[in-house]
Amino acid sequence: MSQNTPHARAKHPRTALAGPYGHPFHPILVTIPIGAWIASLVFDIIGLVSNDPEPYVRGAWVLIVIGLVGAVLAAVWGFIDYAQLGRSTAARRTATIHLTLNLGVVVLFVVDLLVRLSADDQDEVSIVGFVLSIVGLAVLGVSGWLGGKLAYRYGVRVADERTQMEGFR
């Protein structure tokens, strides 16, 4: 496969910062915000049914902050991979939607955090924050599906088929 085709370029990092060939850093970094934000929702649910919700309320907003930091890191590495995609390709269009949805999710969680921190009662689960988390995670699920499409259907940053065959010999 020629290195000059958009498909071949999408498999190889432009810089070592993106992760070595066949081992991109972006997919592992996305586990930080996904895990933190799911855990924050779990803390909200526990806080809603708990007799003492205060530790879960605080834990939820700390997890949202961790998710936001992780999202910024994942975005930096995701953009490095995005820059490799050929313009006017289906992969680039999919990645643009993926990127846009993720930026929207970050905005939702920033608003979610601000709602929680500005609440009059910091010892109770914020229902508005809870709903924002659910919406944010739903959008994140759609974006994650598109990220999977980029990797598993279009092969972005995935080793080429000849390299993959090594595992089946």
Side-chain angles (χ1 to χ4, degrees), residues 39-87:
S40 75
L41 184 66
V42 170
F43 273 46
D44 280 345
I45 292 167
I46 295 169
L48 285 169
V49 299
S50 174
N51 291 331
D52 183 19
E54 189 266 335
Y56 302 104
V57 168
R58 292 189 192 281
W61 69 256
V62 168
L63 286 162
I64 290 170
V65 170
I66 291 168
L68 289 169
V69 171
V72 170
L73 291 172
V76 168
W77 271 267
F79 195 76
I80 292 170
D81 292 345
Y82 178 81
Q84 287 291 102
L85 300 176
R87 298 199 189 288

Side-chain angles (χ1 to χ4, degrees), residues 98-121:
H98 174 71
L99 180 147
T100 303
L101 288 174
N102 284 333
L103 290 175
V105 169
V106 168
V107 169
L108 277 170
F109 276 101
V110 166
V111 171
D112 185 353
L113 181 64
L114 294 174
V115 163
R116 291 166 187 266
L117 294 177
S118 66
D120 291 334
D121 189 359

